[in-house]
Structure formats: C-alpha cells, structure tokens
Amino acid sequence: MNILQKLKETVSSVLPIMAVVLLLGVTIAPLGGSLIVRFLVGGVLVILGLTVFLLGIDIGVIPIGEQSGAALAAKRNLPLLLIAAFMIGFIVTVAEPDVQVLADQVRGIAPSVNKWHLILMIAAGIGLAVSLGIFRMVFSLPLNILLLIAYAIVFALAFFTPAEFQGIAFDSGGATTGPMTVPFIMALGLGVAAVRVKTGAKDAAENDDGFGLTGIASIGPIAAVCLYGIIFAHTGTSADSAVAEAEATHAAASGLSVFVQLLPAITHEVVNALLPLLAMAVFFQVTLIKMPPFQVIRMVRGFVFSFVGLIIFLVGANGGFMPAGERLGEVLGALAAASPLWSALLVVVGFAFGAVVVIAEPAVWVLTDQVESVSGGTIKRRVMLIALSAGVATSIGLSMLRVLTGFSLWYVLIPGYAISLVLAFFCPKLFTGIAFDSGGVASGTMTSTFILSFTLGASAASGGNPAVDAFGVIALVAMTPLIAIQILGMIFAIKNRRAQRTVRCSAQGDGQ
C-alpha cells in the first residue's frame, strides 16, 4: 500500500476536525495559545502515527488474518477454528488503538476502574463474538435472527448494569471496531469464506455470507462491559466522576514537554498491547501458514510500522488532541449552562462535528463505494453520504442535548435498535450485513478520540455527570448506519422489483 495514499486518507480524516476546532478556538471558545499549539502538534502526530500504523496493518497484519482464516478453515476442524477465532479476536482487540483511547477516557472520569481489566473484558467479548460470527458463517445461520437474539441478551444485561457503565458498554461496541480490529476480523472472515466457496460448502456463495462478522463482533464488548459493570458494582467500589482530578492532571501537563513526558508510559503500553499479537503471528507462521521468507520479512516490517505508528498516534492523541477537545467542550458547556442561546449553539456545534466526522472518515468512503458497486449503481454514493452525514450529525446533536438535559440514553438506543432489528426482516440480507458491519465504520478514530473528549468536557462544565451523560455518544454514532443503510437497501429492492416488472412487461409486449 502506497504510504502517500494512506497519508491522504488520514489527512482527510483529521484535518476537517482540526479546522473546526481552530475556528472555534480563536473565536467564540478561546482555548489559549499554549493549548492550540499543543492541539496542532498533537494533530500532526495523530496524522503521522495513524498513517504509519495503517500502513503496517496492511503489509504485516492483514495477510496474517487472511492466511490464518483460510488455513484454519481448510483443516475442517470446527472446535479448532472457533478457539482460534476467539484467540485472534482477543489478541487483536488488546492492540486496538481505539480501545486504548476509550479505556483512558474511562479511567479519566473513573480512576477506580482498572484500565487493563476493562480492556481484557472488552477483548474477551470480541473474541467470543468473533467465534459466534465464524460459527454463523460455517452453518449459514440467518443473520437477522442471530442479531435479534444477541441484542435481546445485551439489553437484558444492560437493564441490570449500573448507570455509570451503560454508556461505556455501548460505546465499547463502536470503539472496538477500529483500524486494527476491523481489517483483521474481515480478513479472517474472507479467509474462511474463500475456503467454503472452494470446497463447495452449502450456501457458500450466498450474498450475505461475506458480511455481518464485524457487526456481530461489536455486540460482544457491550455484553462484556455490562457484566464487568455488574461485577464492579457488587465489589462496592465507586465509579463516580473524578473530573477535578482529571482537570488537575491536564493543568499540570502544560507545554510541548507533555509529549515527551507521555512517551515512556505509552511505549510500555504499546509493547504490552502488540507483543501478544506478534507472538500469535509467530505461532501461526511456525505451525499453520508457513509463509516464505520474503513474506515473513514483509510481515516483520509491518509490525515495526504498526509499533512505531501506534506510539506516535497515542502520544499525539493524549498529549494534544484529546485535551483540546475536552477543553473546547468545557468552554462551550460552561457557556451553555449560563444561557439557553449558548445551549442551542452547543447542539449546533455537535451537529456540525457529526457531519464533518462522518464525511471525513476514509472508511465511510470505502463503504459507500462498496454499496454503490453491490447495488449496481442504484444506490448512489452521494445519497449514502447525505444519509450517513445527516444521521451521525443528528446522533451527536442528540448527545449534546443529552449532556444539557440529562435524559436517558435508553430513550434513543431502545427505539433505534428496535427499528434496526425490525428492518433486518424486511431489508435484503446483503444490506443488513453491510449495515451492521458499518456501525464501527462511522464511529471511527475521530469519534473515539476527539468527539468523546469534547462530550466529556461539555458534560463536566455544564454541571452533568460525565460517566452517565457523556458516554453513549459513540454508541449513537454507531447506531445511525444500521437504520440508514437498511432503508437504502429496501429502496434498492423496490427499484429492482420495478425494473424487473418493466423488463417483463416489455418482453410480453414484444412477444405480442
């Protein structure tokens, strides 16, 4: 993969957010010269780090996923395949940068939550869900039925989960399907699907077999964090907001020296995150896939790029990008608490951020191109972008309104997921799979880093409880494509039926 192409993708993703923040930061919500400089440096580091990281994923990680999936499926040993799928999902999630960022955000407002305990629970949830998704692929189980059962279990667990963990749980479902996890899981699924087609497995060529694995995978972390919240509550340990402590930490870390101060701790965390993934790759190479030497060298180079890129990304995100987002939220949140006019402005800013985030997300452009291709051009990319942009903008605007009013997350999530699951029974199977896969696409890295920080700051400054009122923004963003793409799929089906009727009528007329 060309590094210039990757750089173009990450610049197009990060730069629009930076432009909006700078506009606000020097006008109605002054951030101060020092923080703006930190934000600019952090933004550059985020761009460079994400570019190098994604390049490493392409050349070193994805090939492992594809070849491992194909080799495991070729052995025709279901228990081995499911165990391996769990381990792959678990280990890759530990290395996911968006999960690291989410865990840091949680720790920032609830220091009593152990970061690595939370990450390991999320990883276990992904592992189990990936195994379930592979099981579905092997036996061609109906995706809509499986999703209905899985979400019924999730919402039942969420009912018993403390309020402080409900938003975190649903946010984890969107945050985990990030730039590391999604390509690897999709590569694993493609490897399994390829072997099923080659061996002539029943229904192997069904259109929806290649989709839905990422959508199923995103359910696992929600259930896992709900369980963690239930267990955490029973220990008697409080998970109350600790905004004052977080603010003190940010105040102490001033100037560009913060990036240097963060480097040792982040390097240590990245080593801990990537080492299991490297060990898994070595194990698969020795026992399963046995790549030739030139591919092994390429894989090693990819892991080096991923290691360096992830360090640069996390240093930039933690040192400048997220603190600026949180501070901007605090300034606008404080203004909103003082005047209804400023409250309206906060909602409008959230709406604008939503529109910018989804259009700037490179993976969204890949998704829209995929749908346009699959629909034979019936569903235009422009129409999809408008639908997704309006949906995500509405989601973040609602999140700002929730910050200001404190209304329950369930008022949006329950009807939203109910509509999504009902649509799954009327929408073409292909579009249902794409829709549930795309939830993680819309809630990309910018949502997990900047938008969540902005929401936390706004909640704290406006007098809310960030643990309850701010978390849930990623979940709302991830929910939008489930509805939008399935509606577009139903439109495609209607147009397709009309076209077929027209062809039949024409053929009958010619026959007469």
Side-chain angles (χ1 to χ4, degrees):
M1 177 62 71
N2 192 327
I3 191 168
L4 293 179
Q5 178 62 31
K6 285 296 178 189
L7 181 61
K8 181 181 177 181
E9 290 179 0
T10 53
V11 167
S12 66
S13 176
V14 178
L15 214 55
I17 290 287
M18 294 181 67
V20 174
V21 172
L22 287 176
L23 178 64
L24 294 172
V26 298
T27 55
I28 60 174
L31 298 178
S34 176
L35 187 55
I36 287 178
V37 171
R38 276 179 58 186
F39 174 71
L40 291 174
V41 173
V44 171
L45 292 177
V46 164
I47 290 172
L48 293 177
L50 203 53
T51 299
V52 176
F53 175 78
L54 291 174
L55 182 66
I57 294 299
D58 276 357
I59 67 176
V61 176
I62 289 179
I64 292 289
E66 290 177 344
Q67 295 186 46
S68 300
L72 287 165
K75 288 185 175 294
R76 312 299 294 273
N77 185 328
L78 184 60
L80 175 65
L81 178 61
L82 297 181
I83 291 171
F86 171 83
M87 294 305 301
I88 289 170
F90 183 93
I91 291 172
V92 170
T93 304
V94 171
E96 173 60 59
D98 287 0
V99 175
Q100 299 281 335
V101 170
L102 177 67
D104 283 332
Q105 303 275 34
V106 173
R107 186 174 57 180
I109 65 150
S112 51
V113 175
N114 185 286
K115 174 182 177 178
W116 281 101
H117 289 174
L118 182 62
I119 289 175
L120 293 177
M121 283 295 290
I122 291 173
I126 280 277
L128 288 171
V130 170
S131 296
L132 179 62
I134 295 295
F135 185 85
R136 183 196 83 86
M137 291 180 65
V138 171
F139 291 99
S140 294
L141 300 177
L143 178 61
N144 51 5
I145 300 295
L146 185 60
L147 289 171
L148 182 63
I149 295 171
Y151 274 107
I153 294 171
V154 161
F155 276 97
L157 284 171
F159 180 79
F160 296 100
T161 303
E164 292 85 352
F165 283 93
Q166 290 172 350
I168 295 170
F170 279 89
D171 276 356
S172 70
T176 48
T177 47
M180 169 73 88
T181 309
V182 169
F184 205 98
I185 289 176
M186 290 184 70
L188 176 66
L190 288 172
V192 174
V195 170
R196 293 185 66 242
V197 171
K198 189 181 296 184
T199 56
K202 182 181 178 181
D203 296 329
E206 281 291 319
N207 279 339
D208 68 324
D209 268 2
F211 299 100
L213 183 58
T214 304
I216 294 170
S218 66
I219 301 173
I222 304 175
V225 176
C226 283
L227 285 172
Y228 179 76
I230 293 169
I231 295 168
F232 196 92
H234 288 166
T235 64
T237 309
S238 173
D240 291 336
S241 173
V243 177
E245 182 173 330
E247 288 178 346
T249 302
H250 288 156
S254 60
L256 297 182
S257 62
V258 65
F259 297 105
V260 178
Q261 294 168 12
L262 287 169
L263 191 58
I266 286 177
T267 301
H268 178 71
E269 290 189 349
V270 171
V271 169
N272 289 338
L274 289 184
L275 204 57
L277 184 61
L278 179 61
M280 181 185 71
V282 171
F283 177 76
F284 280 158
Q285 165 64 15
V286 172
T287 62
L288 192 65
I289 54 182
K290 295 181 171 59
M291 293 185 295
F294 78 93
Q295 287 187 341
V296 173
I297 294 172
R298 182 180 173 86
M299 182 194 74
V300 171
R301 189 164 69 246
F303 269 92
V304 172
F305 285 163
S306 298
F307 175 76
V308 173
L310 187 53
I311 291 174
I312 296 172
F313 167 79
L314 290 175
V315 167
N318 285 279
F321 214 68
M322 293 192 297
E326 186 171 351
R327 180 58 187 160
L328 182 65
E330 289 172 355
V331 173
L332 292 176
L335 292 171
S339 164
L341 183 62
W342 288 107
S343 297
L345 178 64
L346 179 63
V347 175
V348 170
V349 169
F351 194 92
F353 273 138
V356 169
V357 162
V358 71
I359 291 178
E361 186 64 49
V364 168
W365 288 84
V366 175
L367 172 71
T368 54
D369 182 63
Q370 182 185 46
V371 174
E372 186 174 33
S373 175
V374 165
S375 68
T378 306
I379 305 297
K380 300 295 184 185
R381 165 180 278 184
R382 181 174 56 84
V383 175
M384 270 204 68
L385 284 173
I386 291 172
L388 288 173
S389 179
V392 172
T394 302
S395 295
I396 298 180
L398 280 173
S399 296
M400 295 304 107
L401 193 60
R402 192 165 72 90
V403 161
L404 294 171
T405 63
F407 70 81
S408 174
L409 181 64
W410 301 122
Y411 293 169
V412 183
L413 279 186
I414 290 177
Y417 275 102
I419 292 170
S420 303
L421 293 169
V422 169
L423 288 175
F425 287 88
F426 298 96
C427 175
K429 293 180 180 179
L430 172 65
F431 283 91
T432 297
I434 293 174
F436 279 86
D437 277 354
S438 65
V441 169
S443 57
T445 303
M446 289 301 98
T447 306
S448 301
T449 54
F450 182 84
I451 298 297
L452 181 54
S453 295
F454 175 77
T455 309
L456 288 167
S459 176
S462 61
N465 179 0
V468 177
D469 299 332
F471 284 104
V473 60
I474 301 175
L476 296 183
V477 170
M479 185 184 70
T480 300
L482 311 186
I483 299 173
I485 293 177
Q486 288 191 102
I487 290 175
L488 290 177
M490 293 171 69
I491 294 171
F492 163 72
I494 292 169
K495 287 185 175 181
N496 198 34
R497 284 196 295 268
R498 287 178 179 173
Q500 289 174 356
R501 279 200 300 268
T502 302
V503 170
R504 283 198 300 268
C505 291
S506 299
Q508 290 172 0
D510 292 342
Q512 293 174 355

